Amino acid sequence: MDASRRQQYLDALGIVSWVRRDRAAAVSSTDASVMPEAAEPQPADSFLKDEPVKPAAAGGWEALEAAVAHCAACALHRSRTHTVFGVGDHHARLMIIGEAPGAEEDRQGEPFVGRAGQLLNAMLRAIGLDRSQVFIANILKCRPPGNRNPQADEVKACIHFLQQQVALVRPRAILAVGGVAAHNLLQTDDAVGRLRSRMHTYGEENTPLLVTYHPAYLLRRPEEKAKAWQDLQKLHGLLQAD
């Protein structure tokens, strides 16, 4: 990776990089709403290699989305505005999994919108990806009241939807963002700080899974963005290796 492109990636994440004054000035902004644009995403065939259309799980995408929209398996259906099914490329090589919808996601019916979504988009651009090239979903499809963490019974009632999405997408890699996603996907109570340093696998196909900090956490703790950048570099290498 050449120096100028690497600096653009770091700028997109709001990570300060010390450079010689005669070459460039350090960038110190950490607000996702004013992050500079990163380099144009690489063409899909240069980073996301062409893949044949994958066979769908029983029922396919339309049946699954309809099942989510009409689900009343737990109490969360009573307070939701919209279900948040997921969004993106149905044949993506990368699947991003978060925890549960927040207030803005509940209003719009789409995961990772608002400031956390803007930062996630910047994180994707930092490794040459556009949001439309990945598939984004959550552990839960409905918002818990007050944005609290999902309860065990809610995860149990909802997780099969996510499992079917993974089976349909058949991603080359999964990125779990935040503790709730990591703990439920990996069945562990280890802290994100420990989980992010290791390679994991998920499901019967042993899909490679990496863990990183949730964008909402990074907005509160911008000093952790450097660690998230390390995670993104590892993810970039994993997707390029195939």
Side-chain angles (χ1 to χ4, degrees):
M1 181 184 300
D2 63 62
S4 62
R5 179 166 293 245
R6 180 179 185 277
Q7 186 61 50
Q8 287 176 315
Y9 292 169
L10 295 175
D11 290 349
L13 285 174
I15 297 173
V16 175
S17 178
W18 296 102
V19 295
R20 286 169 44 189
R21 184 175 297 176
D22 61 347
R23 296 177 61 185
V27 176
S28 59
S29 172
T30 57
D31 189 339
S33 65
V34 295
M35 281 184 175
E37 289 294 324
E40 289 296 318
Q42 299 174 17
D45 60 358
S46 70
F47 185 69
L48 300 182
K49 299 176 183 177
D50 292 334
E51 292 247 335
V53 175
K54 304 173 177 69
W61 285 103
E62 290 186 7
L64 182 57
E65 188 162 6
V68 168
H70 294 92
C71 180
C74 77
L76 294 181
H77 77 278
R78 301 191 188 106
S79 58
R80 73 189 178 209
T81 303
H82 295 101
T83 55
V84 181
F85 179 73
V87 66
D89 185 351
H90 289 176
H91 308 301
R93 288 171 55 77
L94 173 62
M95 190 165 179
I96 298 173
I97 300 176
E99 48 188 53
E104 194 61 35
E105 287 81 6
D106 177 66
R107 281 192 289 270
Q108 296 190 32
E110 182 172 329
F112 284 95
V113 295
R115 292 183 69 230
Q118 292 170 22
L119 180 53
L120 179 64
N121 293 345
M123 293 168 70
L124 290 171
R125 288 196 301 270
I127 55 173
L129 287 173
D130 183 77
R131 183 182 175 99
S132 65
Q133 293 176 293
V134 305
F135 191 84
I136 307 172
N138 283 318
I139 295 292
L140 293 190
K141 306 305 183 190
C142 296
R143 179 198 179 199
N147 293 349
R148 62 163 171 76
N149 285 342
Q151 297 176 350
D153 62 322
E154 295 163 350
V155 174
K156 184 177 180 181
C158 199
I159 196 66
H160 67 98
F161 290 133
L162 177 63
Q163 291 168 342
Q164 291 179 72
Q165 288 177 314
V166 174
L168 284 161
V169 176
R170 294 183 64 196
R172 173 66 181 84
I174 294 172
L175 181 66
V177 292
V180 170
H183 295 160
N184 283 285
L185 292 172
L186 297 174
Q187 295 298 294
T188 180
D189 292 327
D190 285 353
V192 170
R194 294 187 61 188
L195 294 172
R196 57 169 291 274
S197 62
R198 307 196 300 268
M199 180 72 71
H200 309 273
T201 60
Y202 175 79
E204 294 182 356
E205 296 194 9
N206 292 317
T207 304
L209 185 151
L210 293 173
V211 175
T212 194
Y213 296 110
H214 196 284
Y217 174 80
L218 294 175
L219 288 171
R220 298 192 301 270
R221 298 283 303 276
E223 66 273 15
E224 300 286 20
K225 285 183 177 181
K227 294 178 182 177
W229 170 240
Q230 294 171 0
D231 301 335
L232 292 173
Q233 289 178 302
K234 187 182 297 183
L235 178 64
H236 181 275
L238 174 63
L239 289 172
Q240 279 196 323
D242 189 23

